């Protein structure tokens, strides 16, 4: 069911129908820009995998190397601890124009349990309540300011917990996010499957559209009671997001490594091409991110998806400035 989409905050993305300028960016006339990347460039398993070459294994070198291969990355460390403006400024300095960071919201802003030990020292004595929440919002806002001002912020991703189900309290929380971050591009990922089941789907789309929030589609294993269906909602004219979590059957019970240890096949990625085409037709920018962060699996899958997009759409593909192709990933 098509809907008139509400206005969302500026993603910093270029508009129009040109061929794009960023590595790992794909465009086609009449379609939005598509960026492909991984959900971390600092994950320990990736760092230890040997993917980063000699001479590019310090903090600066890793990001510069990653940004020469892809035009998008997700910052997941900001979920576990408040980010800093200093780091944001360094990320701007180490990436080219056209690069984008999708920043995960801090856990305390999405209703997840947050240990006192991960808060800045001066906030640890504050009681849980409005005063602490207000200060956390303020600090998070200031931390991402360098990315916003430099045009490097793709979106802020609010990933809500599995117990965040449809209802009046959830709607109030979403409205608060939209109001507090009215000047940010925002994307929302639900972990409770009820949001995208048939009876709720249209209401969820209508709510996110009204609030100017971009929906996040997911790919994950489909055999669990908590599995989210592989739907492809678009609720913003400016942005849509797809996150590939892998299809490990250990998603619900295993360790972090077991949950994310998954290698996508080309056929599994190809299943998404029609959905991605439909999403890109309806928005200015589509972010495709791989969260199967175990060794090189995420960057390898992102590169494979890039190849498939180029093959299927016949677009000009902006590839590695060093190698001129995707060979190193396949």
């Amino acid at each position: 069911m098509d809907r008139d989409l509400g206005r969302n905050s500026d993603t910093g993305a270029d508009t129009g129908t040109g061929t794009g300028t960023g590595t790992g960016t794909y465009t086609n006339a009449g379609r939005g820009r598509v960026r492909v990347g991984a959900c971390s460039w600092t994950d320990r398993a990736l760092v230890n995998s040997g993917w980063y070459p000699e001479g590019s294994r310090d903090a600066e070198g890793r990001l510069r190397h990653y940004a020469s291969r892809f035009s998008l990355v997700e910052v997941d460390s900001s979920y576990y601890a408040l980010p800093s403006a200093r780091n944001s400024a360094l990320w701007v300095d180490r990436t080219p124009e056209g690069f984008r960071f999708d920043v995960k919201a801090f856990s305390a802003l999405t209703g997840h349990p947050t240990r006192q030990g991960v808060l800045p020292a001066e906030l640890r004595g504050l009681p849980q309540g409005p005063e602490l929440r207000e200060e956390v919002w303020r600090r998070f806002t200031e931390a991402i300011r360098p990315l916003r001002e430099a045009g490097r912020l793709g979106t802020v991703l609010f990933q809500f917990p599995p117990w965040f189900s449809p209802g009046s309290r959830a709607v109030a929380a979403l409205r608060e996010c939209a109001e507090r971050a009215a000047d940010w591009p925002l994307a929302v990922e639900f972990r409770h499957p009820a949001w995208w089941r048939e009876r709720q789907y249209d209401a969820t789309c209508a709510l996110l559209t009204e609030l100017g929030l971009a929906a996040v589609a997911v790919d994950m294993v489909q055999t669990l009671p908590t599995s989210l269906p592989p739907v492809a909602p678009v609720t913003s004219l400016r942005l849509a997001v797809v996150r590939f979590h892998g299809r490990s059957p250990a998603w619900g019970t295993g360790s972090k490594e077991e949950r994310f240890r998954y290698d996508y096949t080309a056929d599994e990625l190809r299943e998404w091409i029609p959905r991605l085409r439909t999403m890109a037709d309806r928005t200015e920018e589509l972010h495709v991110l791989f969260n199967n962060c175990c060794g090189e699996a995420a960057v390898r899958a992102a590169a494979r998806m890039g190849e498939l997009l180029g093959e299927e759409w016949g677009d000009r593909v902006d590839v590695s400035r060093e190698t001129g192709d995707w060979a190193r990933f396949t």
Side-chain angles (χ1 to χ4, degrees):
M1 179 177 181
D2 290 334
R3 297 182 179 276
D4 293 329
L5 302 182
R7 182 183 64 82
N8 195 10
S9 301
D10 191 357
T11 65
D14 295 335
T15 60
T17 57
T19 57
T21 59
T23 299
T25 304
Y26 316 88
T27 60
N28 199 1
R31 295 194 184 120
R33 181 188 302 268
V34 182
R35 297 179 184 274
V36 181
C39 287
S40 176
W41 78 97
T42 61
D43 183 77
R44 183 177 300 176
L46 175 61
V47 172
N48 292 337
S49 72
W51 185 73
Y52 290 107
E54 291 286 347
S56 297
R57 294 179 179 173
D58 61 348
E60 179 175 354
R62 289 194 298 265
L63 182 52
R64 289 190 184 278
H65 178 77
Y66 178 95
S68 74
R69 268 62 181 172
F70 299 101
S71 66
L72 172 70
V73 76
E74 183 177 287
V75 180
D76 68 338
S77 59
S78 52
Y79 167 81
Y80 299 100
L82 279 168
S84 70
R86 176 182 179 275
N87 279 345
S88 291
L90 288 173
W91 297 340
V92 169
D93 290 341
R94 295 168 180 175
T95 53
E97 291 286 342
F99 192 86
R100 297 290 182 269
F101 294 88
D102 283 1
V103 181
K104 285 186 74 172
F106 182 47
S107 60
L109 301 181
T110 56
H112 289 85
T114 303
R115 293 183 298 105
Q116 285 281 318
V118 305
L119 293 172
E122 60 273 20
L123 300 185
R124 293 173 193 169
L126 293 178
Q128 295 288 332
E131 181 183 357
L132 177 59
R133 186 170 176 80
E134 191 71 32
E135 183 61 16
V136 169
W137 269 103
R138 188 190 70 78
R139 293 192 181 212
F140 187 88
T141 300
E142 290 303 309
I144 65 172
R145 186 180 299 279
L147 295 175
R148 294 172 57 205
E149 292 178 346
R152 297 288 206 285
L153 180 64
T155 192
V156 177
L157 170 64
F158 280 78
Q159 184 185 68
F160 289 99
W163 55 86
F164 189 83
S165 59
S168 58
R169 293 182 65 181
V171 170
L174 290 168
R175 290 190 183 280
E176 180 191 18
C177 288
E179 292 168 2
R180 284 181 174 270
D183 295 330
W184 307 350
L186 294 185
V188 171
E189 178 178 346
F190 298 116
R191 286 293 181 90
H192 196 295
W195 289 97
W196 297 122
R197 286 178 179 153
E198 185 174 354
R199 288 179 297 176
Q200 178 67 29
Y201 182 92
D202 283 350
T204 299
C205 286
L207 175 63
L208 297 183
T209 297
E210 175 197 343
L211 298 178
L213 305 177
V216 176
V218 301
D219 180 88
M220 65 179 298
V221 64
Q222 290 296 299
T223 58
L224 304 174
T226 56
S227 296
L228 278 81
V231 295
V234 175
T235 58
S236 165
L237 288 172
R238 288 296 185 87
L239 179 68
V241 182
V242 184
R243 300 179 79 233
F244 286 76
H245 294 300
R247 300 179 181 182
S248 169
W251 178 262
T253 58
S255 66
K256 180 179 179 182
E257 185 178 66
E258 290 169 337
R259 293 197 307 273
F260 294 104
R261 185 189 293 119
Y262 192 81
D263 272 312
Y264 279 99
T265 67
D267 285 343
E268 288 171 335
L269 298 178
R270 196 174 284 113
E271 291 173 14
W272 272 88
I273 297 296
R275 299 183 192 121
L276 298 181
R277 181 185 295 114
T278 298
M279 297 175 81
D281 283 345
R282 299 184 63 205
T283 192
E284 292 178 3
E285 185 149 308
L286 173 62
H287 290 186
V288 180
L289 286 155
F290 286 86
N291 194 33
N292 53 325
C293 295
C294 187
E296 297 184 29
V299 291
R300 188 163 53 240
R304 286 175 178 167
M305 180 62 86
E307 288 182 325
L308 293 172
L309 288 171
E311 291 170 4
E312 295 286 336
W313 291 0
D315 299 339
R316 175 179 175 227
V317 180
D318 292 322
V319 295
S320 169
R321 288 184 290 274
E322 291 185 15
T323 64
D325 56 35
W326 290 108
R328 67 180 295 109
F329 299 105
T330 56

